[in-house]
Amino acid sequence: MPTLPPEPRRSSEAETHQLRGAAGSFGTEAERYDRARPRYPAALVDRITARTPDVRILDVGCGTGIVARQFQAVGCEVLGVEPDARMAEVARRLGVEVDVATFEAWDPGGREFDAVVAGQTWHWVDPAAGAAQASRVLRHGGRLAAFWNVFQLPPEVAEAFAAVYRRVLPDSPFDLEAVTRQPLDAYRALFTKAADGMRGAGVFSEPEQWRFDWEWSYSREAWLEQVPTHGVLTRLPPDRLAEVLEGIGAAIDAVGGGFTMGYATVAVTATRNGTAVRR
């Protein structure tokens, strides 16, 4: 997942949505994923809903329902679409209605929504096909919003973590530059592709970006709980993962047992103004 370090280098970000095997690996840690992954700023939820009651939300790639439950908490009716049945099972148990399907192949069955959202998942969706599908289910004036949590580790923590990954996983194609320097730069291609997909659908307003900056403090235990849910690490054999966790834990101990993470949540968003393309 292009949000959480360390991340794999790819020859082209256009290939991301084709990596279905990688996308499907998160279900191996579905319970942990739900416990450990960060939530999203309340200001983002409020801006998407405009504090309007009875808003119907479609959550693309809803996973365990993290985004969906945040919208439910402010009174929205939410349907999730999730390709991994293991993630969907957790979401349903936690009160979210879910259809199991990829978004591109999902049959809306005539249902319409006030907003289509995708938290940390739009890079797994073909951006052109996804925007076209969103246009079919959005009411006139409805909003499509794809958003990501981009985090910036404190420099000393980033360097320590990078050293662990270089030592334990020297042959893995991780992009350590994105961990230690300018993480937002690694996302610009994703933002551009999301916006281009919206433009290509021909029915959306000119896409815009919203940014929300915030911080979160992690204890050693809280960060180690999250690490196994990160991208390629979901597919490591247990012995290699244990080495990574041991090294990361020691690095956190060396900086006092915890650290404060800086987050930027960035949304690429547009409203449906034209006539939807119906199948």
Side-chain angles (χ1 to χ4, degrees):
M1 229 170 165
T3 335
L4 298 165
E7 291 304 331
R9 289 191 183 92
R10 301 187 179 101
S11 60
S12 169
E13 287 292 346
E15 300 169 359
T16 308
H17 66 271
Q18 299 170 351
L19 302 176
R20 297 297 186 184
S25 68
F26 298 101
T28 61
E29 290 282 358
E31 298 278 2
R32 186 195 300 267
Y33 187 103
D34 192 77
R35 291 193 304 268
R37 281 295 184 109
R39 276 45 180 169
Y40 298 88
L44 170 64
V45 174
D46 288 344
R47 191 165 180 184
I48 290 171
T49 62
R51 297 182 177 272
T52 303
D54 303 320
V55 174
R56 297 192 68 201
I57 302 286
L58 180 67
D59 183 5
V60 176
C62 71
T64 61
I66 290 172
V67 171
R69 298 197 304 273
Q70 286 192 247
F71 281 95
Q72 287 177 329
V74 297
C76 296
E77 177 186 346
V78 184
L79 173 67
V81 177
E82 168 56 45
D84 191 319
R86 298 163 298 180
M87 301 286 270
E89 180 183 359
V90 174
R92 288 171 179 150
R93 192 165 67 247
L94 295 172
V96 179
E97 181 184 355
V98 185
D99 287 352
V100 176
T102 62
F103 184 53
E104 299 94 325
W106 170 68
D107 180 5
R111 290 167 288 188
E112 293 187 326
F113 300 87
D114 301 295
V116 174
V117 302
Q120 221 74 16
T121 59
W122 198 249
H123 50 282
W124 299 123
V125 175
D126 180 297
Q133 178 77 303
S135 77
R136 297 182 185 107
V137 300
L138 278 169
R139 297 188 176 104
H140 181 79
R143 181 172 295 282
L144 172 57
F147 45 90
W148 292 265
N149 280 333
V150 184
F151 65 58
Q152 175 65 72
L153 288 161
E156 68 278 11
V157 176
E159 293 292 349
F161 286 6
V164 172
Y165 289 115
R166 290 188 188 103
R167 174 173 55 81
V168 179
L169 303 171
D171 299 323
S172 293
F174 290 139
D175 187 356
L176 294 170
E177 286 287 311
V179 181
T180 56
R181 288 171 175 75
Q182 297 297 325
L184 271 172
D185 289 346
Y187 284 79
R188 303 212 185 277
L190 294 181
F191 302 156
T192 298
K193 288 185 182 300
D196 286 347
M198 295 174 194
R199 293 186 186 102
V203 297
F204 288 101
S205 64
E206 176 61 21
E208 56 184 310
Q209 283 188 23
W210 300 343
R211 175 172 170 170
F212 305 85
D213 294 305
W214 53 289
E215 293 183 338
W216 194 258
S217 294
Y218 286 98
S219 65
R220 181 185 196 275
E221 292 73 20
W223 187 251
L224 292 183
E225 175 81 341
Q226 190 178 140
V227 167
T229 74
H230 292 183
V232 176
L233 300 184
T234 61
R235 289 168 283 160
L236 279 183
D239 59 332
R240 303 295 297 280
L241 178 60
E243 286 187 72
V244 171
L245 293 175
E246 181 180 4
I248 293 297
I252 297 173
D253 289 341
V255 296
F259 60 93
T260 298
M261 182 81 78
Y263 281 94
T265 299
V266 179
V268 179
T269 181
T271 55
R272 188 177 77 78
N273 294 330
T275 301
V277 178
R278 304 285 178 184
R279 287 189 289 191

